[in-house]
Amino acid sequence: QVQLVESGGGSVQAGGSLRLSCAASAYTYSSKFMGWFRQAPGKKREGVAGIWSGGGSIYYADSVKGRFTISLDNAKTTVYLQMNSLKPEDTAMYYCAARRNPPWSGGNWYDDTRYTYWGQGTQVTVSS
């Protein structure tokens, strides 16, 4: 059973930084596409960033470009989201997700219905 476990959330002031981690276990496929999503109270879940484990393809939502960086460790089992220059509007529950096939095989990277596996979420709160 594939498990995704997030960590690294917390409370920071505007302008601060946090790094989220998502460790994937029991994932039998050699390649996967990993995404970070977030959901604020009363809002729809939205894609924040995505990365293909095969290398070279990274995606960001316009709202986080230039501030957030997604990356994978060398073993391709842990995905990170470095969040800098945080804003109060970044406050949300952040989720890690995984899908076997890359977006160019079908479905946009930010389409959460295309992801098979999800973590439990980690809360990020940014105060002004």
Side-chain angles (χ1 to χ4, degrees):
Q1 181 72 17
V2 174
Q3 282 192 316
L4 302 178
V5 180
E6 302 103 332
S7 60
S11 298
V12 295
Q13 289 193 324
S17 298
L18 284 173
R19 189 173 85 150
L20 306 183
S21 300
C22 172
S25 62
Y27 199 96
T28 57
Y29 301 112
S30 58
S31 298
K32 54 187 172 288
F33 190 86
M34 304 291 293
W36 283 101
F37 288 78
R38 66 186 181 187
Q39 188 168 24
K43 294 189 176 182
K44 291 177 61 177
R45 186 161 55 189
E46 62 174 351
V48 175
I51 186 169
W52 173 240
S53 68
S57 296
I58 290 177
Y59 304 81
Y60 294 102
D62 288 343
S63 58
V64 306
K65 279 180 183 175
R67 300 188 298 121
F68 290 10
T69 303
I70 189 171
S71 61
L72 278 167
D73 69 340
N74 289 337
K76 310 293 176 67
T77 58
T78 301
V79 61
Y80 303 97
L81 186 68
Q82 177 66 44
M83 305 186 295
N84 298 329
S85 302
L86 282 161
K87 304 175 181 180
E89 50 263 44
D90 294 318
T91 295
M93 185 71 78
Y94 282 71
Y95 298 91
C96 169
R99 52 184 282 182
R100 180 179 178 185
N101 298 312
W104 50 89
S105 72
N108 294 309
W109 70 269
Y110 50 81
D111 182 354
D112 60 359
T113 66
R114 292 286 185 164
Y115 289 78
T116 306
Y117 304 103
W118 290 85
Q120 81 288 353
T122 186
Q123 178 68 37
V124 171
T125 303
V126 184
S127 58
S128 57

